[in-house]
Amino acid sequence: MTTSWDVYAFGMIAASTLYVLKGNFPKADTYAELGEEFAMTGGEAANSSVVLAKLGVDVKLQGNILGLDAGGTQVAAFLEKRGIDISAIQRREDVRTVREMVFSDPETRTNFGTYCELLFETKTWAMPDESDVANCRVVSLDPFFDEASVEVARLAKKHGKPVVTVDPPYGEEIADLSDYLVIAGEFRNHRYPGRTVEELFQTYVANHDGMIIMTAGKGEILYGNKHGSARFPAFSVETKDTTGAGDSFRAGIVYGVLQGWSIEETLRFSSALAAIVCTRFPGVLDSPTLEEVQEFFNDIVE
């Protein structure tokens, strides 16, 4: 039985079903024809774990509690099939599994879910086990689960484990305790409307000691800390599906930390990983192997 892991991932887990429409998303009181259907995972922690596992990383995943319903069975089977350790994920009969439905047409993507009702209103998540944090090499942390997420970060600091997190508001304890803070454009626009990337970057740097990484979709990445900053260009690709690009980028940061790479090497790998996922449909379901990432780099050189 495995007693240590490369990565302990803590955060959002959901059962997701992607429906591909044959035409455009319909207006109210009209009809649209369904095409393909894909059973997948939803949630940042789950998707990052799937991408990491495809790269050959040993991942133990924990987060919100799953039900004993069809959704819980779907997501548990999906994760186990990909070699992810889900032994720490609790399942209870009195809990309904968080679900999402995604409808994709040639131009748009529309999401429906039960995150608010079944998760944030009831706070059905588990507290971490200290031994899981102590026996990993890197922690991949979602900051959304209040005291449970903070406890993961505290335990990581206690045991000297680097923490990679996404979208923590500045000034909060998780941001203080994290070594790599990935701040996405969507989060910035929602949480801090009207603030420029440069202004917000300086605010994070002034408040926290970790490496601040601000992404902007196809735009440049702004990164740095109190010792300086720089920009990294995103790879230009023909996009088919952007869902999971951010989760894949975070997975790349975790992978780079595992390898002991420089921040520049890590960003190059993370950007390539996210770019490849965007060229596939559905992206996370078909995330690349390590060999495919290297082929991507080889094609750029050629």
Side-chain angles (χ1 to χ4, degrees), residues 17-60:
T17 305
L18 169 63
Y19 298 95
V20 182
L21 303 180
K22 291 187 176 180
N24 291 330
F25 192 85
K27 296 180 181 179
D29 300 321
T30 62
Y31 173 83
E33 188 78 9
L34 289 173
E36 295 180 280
E37 176 181 336
F38 300 93
M40 305 167 59
T41 53
E44 288 88 337
N47 285 339
S48 291
S49 296
V50 169
V51 175
L52 283 165
K54 192 72 174 288
L55 294 171
V57 175
D58 292 325
V59 182
K60 185 166 190 175

Side-chain angles (χ1 to χ4, degrees), residues 7 19 27 35 56 60 67 69 89 93 110 112 134 151 168 170 173 177 182 189 222 225 236 245-246 259 277 296:
V7 174
Y19 298 95
K27 296 180 181 179
K60 185 166 190 175
D69 50 14
I89 299 176
E93 188 173 1
T110 307
F112 300 86
E151 181 63 13
Y170 64 78
E173 187 176 1
L177 294 171
V182 180
N189 294 335
L222 176 60
N225 52 26
S236 179
Q259 304 306 313
V277 166
F296 179 84

Side-chain angles (χ1 to χ4, degrees), residues 226-284:
K226 288 181 170 64
H227 303 292
S229 65
R231 293 180 181 271
F232 189 93
F235 291 107
S236 179
V237 295
E238 184 177 341
T239 300
K240 290 185 179 179
D241 181 22
T242 60
T243 303
D247 302 332
S248 302
F249 183 88
R250 192 255 295 263
I253 299 294
V254 172
Y255 191 84
V257 175
L258 281 170
Q259 304 306 313
W261 293 341
S262 69
I263 184 60
E264 289 77 17
E265 290 175 299
T266 299
L267 287 173
R268 183 171 184 264
F269 182 85
S270 302
S271 298
L273 196 60
I276 295 169
V277 166
C278 287
T279 66
R280 300 179 174 187
F281 187 87
V284 170

Side-chain angles (χ1 to χ4, degrees), residues 13-273:
I13 308 165
S16 178
T17 305
L18 169 63
Y19 298 95
V20 182
L21 303 180
K22 291 187 176 180
N24 291 330
F25 192 85
K27 296 180 181 179
D29 300 321
T30 62
Y31 173 83
E33 188 78 9
L34 289 173
E36 295 180 280
E37 176 181 336
F38 300 93
M40 305 167 59
T41 53
E44 288 88 337
N47 285 339
S48 291
S49 296
V50 169
V51 175
L52 283 165
K54 192 72 174 288
L55 294 171
V57 175
D58 292 325
V59 182
K60 185 166 190 175
L61 175 62
Q62 190 182 11
N64 49 290
I65 299 168
L66 302 181
L68 295 175
D69 50 14
T73 300
Q74 170 192 318
V75 72
F78 184 96
L79 294 166
E80 281 191 314
K81 183 178 179 181
R82 283 152 181 81
I84 297 167
D85 186 334
I86 63 169
S87 60
I89 299 176
Q90 295 183 28
R91 296 189 65 183
R92 292 196 337 226
E93 188 173 1
D94 62 326
V95 171
R96 289 166 55 202
T97 300
V98 177
R99 301 196 62 140
E100 66 175 25
M101 294 186 297
V102 183
F103 293 86
S104 177
D105 70 13
E107 299 178 355
T108 65
R109 175 176 289 266
T110 307
N111 291 29
F112 300 86
T114 58
Y115 288 99
C116 294
E117 176 192 356
L118 300 184
L119 194 57
F120 297 117
E121 292 178 6
T122 58
K123 298 189 176 183
T124 51
W125 49 71
M127 292 298 292
D129 188 305
E130 183 170 356
S131 64
D132 287 337
V133 180
N135 291 318
C136 76
R137 294 172 56 200
V138 178
V139 172
S140 178
L141 176 62
D142 289 355
F144 315 122
F145 292 168
D146 297 344
E147 72 286 347
S149 294
V150 172
E151 181 63 13
V152 172
R154 289 172 179 165
L155 290 172
K157 182 63 68 175
K158 174 181 176 180
H159 291 281
K161 310 298 180 179
V163 175
V164 181
T165 192
V166 290
D167 297 339
Y170 64 78
E172 295 196 354
E173 187 176 1
I174 283 183
D176 274 339
L177 294 171
S178 296
D179 300 275
Y180 297 84
L181 293 73
V182 180
I183 314 298
E186 182 179 357
F187 169 78
R188 294 196 306 272
N189 294 335
H190 173 74
R191 183 69 184 241
Y192 306 109
R195 302 281 295 274
T196 67
V197 174
E198 292 76 12
E199 177 190 359
L200 197 56
F201 178 83
Q202 292 303 326
T203 302
Y204 269 90
V205 167
N207 281 274
H208 306 291
D209 294 327
M211 178 62 65
I212 311 300
I213 304 167
M214 292 198 166
T215 63
K218 295 180 179 180
E220 284 188 323
I221 297 164
L222 176 60
Y223 69 98
N225 52 26
K226 288 181 170 64
H227 303 292
S229 65
R231 293 180 181 271
F232 189 93
F235 291 107
S236 179
V237 295
E238 184 177 341
T239 300
K240 290 185 179 179
D241 181 22
T242 60
T243 303
D247 302 332
S248 302
F249 183 88
R250 192 255 295 263
I253 299 294
V254 172
Y255 191 84
V257 175
L258 281 170
Q259 304 306 313
W261 293 341
S262 69
I263 184 60
E264 289 77 17
E265 290 175 299
T266 299
L267 287 173
R268 183 171 184 264
F269 182 85
S270 302
S271 298
L273 196 60

